[in-house]
Amino acid sequence: MFSFNNITTAIDEFLNSVLPAQGALIVECVLVALCAVLAYVTLAIVMIFMERKVCAAFQCRLGPMRVGYWGLLQVFADVFKMLIKEIISINRSDRVLYNLAPYLVVMSSVLTFSCLPFASGLQVLDFNIGVFFIMAASSFGVLGILLAGWSSNNKYSMIGAVRSGAQMISYELSIGLCILVVVILSGTMQISELVDMQRSGWFIFRGHIPAFIAFIIYLIAGNAETNRAPFDLPEAESELTAGFHTEYSGMHFGFFYVAEFMNLFIVAGIASTLFLGGWAPLYITGLDAFNNIMDYIPGIVWFLGKTFFVIWLLMWVRWTFPRMRIDHVVSLEWKYLIPIGLVNLLIMTLCVVMGWTF
Amino acid sequence: MKQRNTYIGKILFSVSSLATGLKTTLNEFFTRKVTEQYPENRKTQKISERHRARLYMPLDENGNNKCIACGLCANNCPNGTITIKTKMVTDPETGKSKKMLDEYTYDLGCCMFCQLCVNVCPKDAIAFNNDFENAVFDRKKLIIKLNK
Ligand code: SF4
Ligand code: SF4
């Protein structure tokens, strides 16, 4: 099967032949960073457009139609508007932390983003504790949100940030439990290996009932992690104006906005990597002709297709349910998701030990 | 419901009620969208029959309006939108003089489209039509003479 490894190795050899080893390494780092950020921004634009269209469709509207054909240029108009806005500084705010917070949030999501396996060999970071690293990197985004709320010297921001902290720290547990289910099933934490193992069958099929429950819990908890409705209490525009980013304007607000969308992409990307086989194509045992056709679809199409499908699922939920109350959010996590997740973990362990998986 | 109080019952109940919500929005996702893209769809757009856009006087076959200048519409209009000027016309055959409509003025800018005037008219001499593109640059142009 075609692998991006060939291309990256060729570039690596070429750079090493014209530059000293140190120089080649630096150039490679810059190239990789550039590609990652470009992909990040492109996907963010695609997702903002998708969100508008999908949201409109769920509300029986058409969405943006005027700027460009079928509203395709709407997002660029939005970005341009945001870029020409003034970045205001708030009186008696903590200047350093106030300016730092959006970058922390974006950094955490870019770090996690770079772990996603887009196709065979197309992955920035791949090492033996990949899944663990994803969890660690994604969880420090909450620090940026807390700092943003605290440093803007505004009661709404503060309440939003504290809610966000409570919610994210709670739901991180459920995410951890769901990821553990997959780790138990596969016996590895390395992302490339995880995907390779799914070439013979996606984990959601191989792990049947416990994997399916874990998938559902992961989607719920992931939705909460990204602060989207019905878990958008940190923003809760009806009560907190805009929550933790009330005081931010211009591109600083833009960073929060983009990071929120990309966190959604990351949650969906991880879900599709762990449960739906990442870039591994769909195989049905016994149907060789079908499997051969599936092989011709490149891995990146598989990955993006699955990821956007999961994103669509999350958007469906987001545009269906109203915002929850904070006590309901917390009790959903601690009274329902965690016990179910723990039992589910036990079931999966049993299945693996008894050899009841496929 | 009894099972709603148990732990499992609660979970099952909420899952089923969430599923109902999801089903509703999924149907909505695939239905025809209601958005009207107005200036582009000018040729094909359909306005509801009952839409009250602007008052007019329907004419009978002979090209005459049916107004008898009774003034009920002007008296019933909450906004004083309608002004009626009458004239006395003497019938040449019988020699009796009769009140006739001279000028029926309707101020579109004042109207709140309550339709009281139409409902009160004993002769159905006035009605609302669908002619909704009424934007003009001068308010004086909104004062319309309805009879010919
Ligand atoms: S619709 Fe109402 S406001 Fe308008 S002219 Fe008739 S009675 Fe007056
Ligand atoms: S329009 Fe109708 S209500 Fe008004 S004056 Fe004429 S007949 Fe009377």
Side-chain angles (χ1 to χ4, degrees), chain B residues 57 66-74 84 101 104 117 120-126:
Chain B
M57 281 187 154
K66 290 179 265 177
C67 179
I68 51 168
C70 66
L72 278 177
C73 52
I84 295 174
L101 183 68
Y104 191 104
C117 50
V120 86
C121 177
K123 293 285 174 189
D124 288 334
I126 43 178

Side-chain angles (χ1 to χ4, degrees), chain A residues 22-310:
Chain A
Q22 285 276 308
L25 192 67
I26 291 172
V27 172
E28 272 164 25
C29 284
V30 172
L31 276 181
V32 164
L34 215 64
C35 290
V37 170
L38 269 183
Y40 187 86
V41 173
T42 322
L43 282 171
I45 286 172
V46 172
M47 285 197 44
I48 293 173
F49 184 69
M50 177 183 171
E51 166 94 339
R52 293 182 149 222
K53 283 291 183 189
V54 171
C55 144
F58 276 125
Q59 296 171 347
C60 213
R61 301 182 284 119
L62 286 177
M65 291 296 275
R66 288 293 153 84
V67 193
Y69 178 71
W70 214 56
L72 279 171
L73 297 179
Q74 181 68 48
V75 183
F76 296 97
D78 291 350
V79 171
F80 185 66
K81 183 202 96 178
M82 211 163 266
L83 280 173
I84 57 175
K85 275 191 164 181
E86 183 191 0
I87 294 184
I88 46 172
S89 56
I90 308 300
N91 246 358
R92 312 232 317 274
S93 65
D94 193 324
R95 204 55 58 79
V96 179
L97 294 184
Y98 177 77
N99 291 328
L100 181 69
Y103 295 98
L104 274 181
V105 174
V106 167
M107 206 159 79
S108 133
S109 85
V110 173
L111 259 185
T112 325
F113 177 75
S114 58
C115 288
L116 292 179
F118 283 90
S120 171
L122 199 63
Q123 182 180 5
V124 182
L125 288 170
D126 182 29
F127 49 111
N128 53 6
I129 52 158
V131 174
F132 192 59
F133 179 80
I134 284 185
M135 286 197 64
S138 68
S139 60
F140 86 72
V142 68
L143 181 65
I145 289 178
L146 280 174
L147 285 183
W150 187 77
S151 63
S152 7
N153 186 23
N154 176 326
K155 53 186 178 296
Y156 298 128
S157 306
M158 189 65 224
I159 296 174
V162 169
R163 280 183 182 183
S164 174
Q167 180 178 315
M168 282 181 140
I169 290 166
S170 309
Y171 280 83
E172 205 105 283
L173 275 174
S174 276
I175 291 197
L177 285 176
C178 297
I179 291 182
L180 264 186
V181 166
V182 175
V183 171
I184 287 176
L185 177 60
S186 63
T188 174
M189 275 172 135
Q190 185 161 357
I191 290 173
S192 54
E193 251 178 67
L194 271 172
V195 180
D196 258 337
M197 286 174 78
Q198 296 186 72
R199 299 191 57 167
S200 52
W202 300 355
F203 282 151
I204 196 162
F205 299 133
R206 284 170 65 176
H208 50 91
I209 298 166
F212 186 72
I213 295 176
F215 182 61
I216 299 290
I217 295 181
Y218 180 84
L219 287 187
I220 298 173
N223 218 350
E225 274 280 293
T226 48
N227 291 334
R228 288 165 62 80
F231 301 99
D232 62 345
L233 292 149
E235 294 177 25
E237 59 270 18
S238 49
E239 49 207 79
L240 301 179
T241 53
F244 60 88
H245 56 60
T246 306
E247 298 289 1
Y248 284 87
S249 66
M251 217 45 221
H252 276 174
F253 165 72
F255 281 141
F256 281 121
Y257 192 66
V258 166
E260 193 187 305
F261 271 98
M262 286 317 288
N263 283 338
L264 177 65
F265 181 85
I266 289 162
V267 163
I270 295 173
S272 67
T273 308
L274 294 183
F275 296 99
L276 304 180
W279 47 261
L282 176 69
Y283 285 137
I284 298 174
T285 27
L287 289 176
D288 283 331
F290 177 77
N291 294 349
N292 278 336
I293 297 171
M294 290 293 136
D295 259 345
Y296 281 110
I297 303 175
I300 189 153
V301 175
W302 276 110
F303 178 76
L304 288 180
K306 286 170 195 171
T307 306
F308 277 102
F309 171 69
V310 177

Side-chain angles (χ1 to χ4, degrees), chain A residues 60-62 316 320 335, chain B residues 7 22 25 33-35 40:
Chain A
C60 213
R61 301 182 284 119
L62 286 177
W316 179 16
T320 303
K335 281 164 115 179
Chain B
Y7 184 80
L22 286 173
T25 42
K33 304 296 172 254
V34 294
T35 310
E40 289 91 346

Side-chain angles (χ1 to χ4, degrees), chain A residues 53-54 56-63 65-66 312 316-317 319-321 335-337 339-340, chain B residues 7 10-11 17-18 21-23 25-26 28-40:
Chain A
K53 283 291 183 189
V54 171
F58 276 125
Q59 296 171 347
C60 213
R61 301 182 284 119
L62 286 177
M65 291 296 275
R66 288 293 153 84
W312 182 82
W316 179 16
V317 170
W319 294 106
T320 303
F321 300 128
K335 281 164 115 179
Y336 295 94
L337 292 190
I340 296 175
Chain B
Y7 184 80
K10 261 185 197 162
I11 294 177
S17 94
L18 291 177
L22 286 173
K23 213 181 101 215
T25 42
L26 191 65
E28 213 58 43
F29 189 77
F30 292 109
T31 48
R32 230 182 64 80
K33 304 296 172 254
V34 294
T35 310
E36 296 280 350
Q37 288 177 276
Y38 164 55
E40 289 91 346

